[in-house]
Amino acid sequence: MERLREKLHISEGIWRVLELVAYGLIALLSAYLIITYVGQRTVVDGESMYPILKHNDNIIVEKLSYRFGDIKRYDVIVFNYHDPVNPDKESYYIKRVIGLPGETIVIREGLIYLIDENGKEVFLNEDYGYYADALPMESYLAAVPIEIPEGQYFVLGDNRNRSYDSRQIGLIKEEDILGKAWLRFYPLNSFGFIDHQ
């Protein structure tokens, strides 16, 4: 580098300033690439994913998995919610994937069923649901069977009676999924990976 400086006839002081600027630009570019393509920090707002995630938990959303692999049932995802009342507002929700593309799902008397190709309801025996006051989960839109097209997902909050999810807002498009909730790093006494399976 010293030879290059001498060849360009740049004083040592100016060369040091140029080096600092170059290192700063590299750091900014690296941060941008990491946040855009690898992972980013987000803060949980609300209790819809209780008990695995609580209000004000700080988590890392990992973005690489879905570039190279499929979204799986029970993955905890963060997605961009497009509010029809306020379309300019950007909101991110965190929920658990329950229904996959190509499936048909229905909720009856607080229980989740997948409907097979013969029209038979098959009970989805998942144990992530938390039911405040021991009340059964409301069905809302899922009181009637919902066919999930390619590229879309049915999601629920783990705190079923305190969650605004696919039962109210409909299916989630794959293109709106930011990534997988990966690691809770704050509060420190709850540090750890987020349960997906």
Side-chain angles (χ1 to χ4, degrees), residues 124-191:
L124 183 63
N125 189 13
E126 59 91 29
D127 59 359
Y128 289 106
Y130 171 82
Y131 299 92
D133 308 319
L135 296 172
M137 162 175 47
E138 291 284 346
S139 302
Y140 302 112
L141 295 175
V144 297
I146 296 175
E147 293 181 19
I148 307 172
E150 285 304 313
Q152 296 190 38
Y153 297 85
F154 184 90
V155 299
L156 293 174
D158 285 359
N159 190 359
R160 300 288 159 78
N161 298 322
R162 305 274 193 276
S163 179
Y164 191 64
D165 48 41
S166 285
R167 294 171 294 163
Q168 296 95 345
I169 64 175
L171 300 172
I172 305 308
K173 294 179 181 173
E174 187 170 357
E175 64 205 43
D176 290 329
I177 296 173
L178 182 66
K180 181 191 290 190
W182 177 59
L183 176 76
R184 175 180 28 228
F185 65 91
Y186 186 84
L188 294 177
N189 63 349
S190 298
F191 183 90

Side-chain angles (χ1 to χ4, degrees), residues 73-94:
R73 192 183 326 276
Y74 307 131
D75 281 358
V76 178
I77 62 168
V78 175
F79 61 92
N80 188 1
Y81 170 60
H82 303 284
D83 187 346
V85 176
N86 193 355
D88 295 331
K89 183 181 178 190
E90 199 168 74
S91 299
Y92 290 93
Y93 284 17
I94 182 166

Side-chain angles (χ1 to χ4, degrees), residues 55-69:
H55 182 65
N56 285 332
D57 279 356
N58 284 246
I59 65 171
I60 298 292
V61 179
E62 180 268 315
K63 299 180 177 183
L64 285 178
S65 292
Y66 300 147
R67 293 188 187 280
F68 304 106

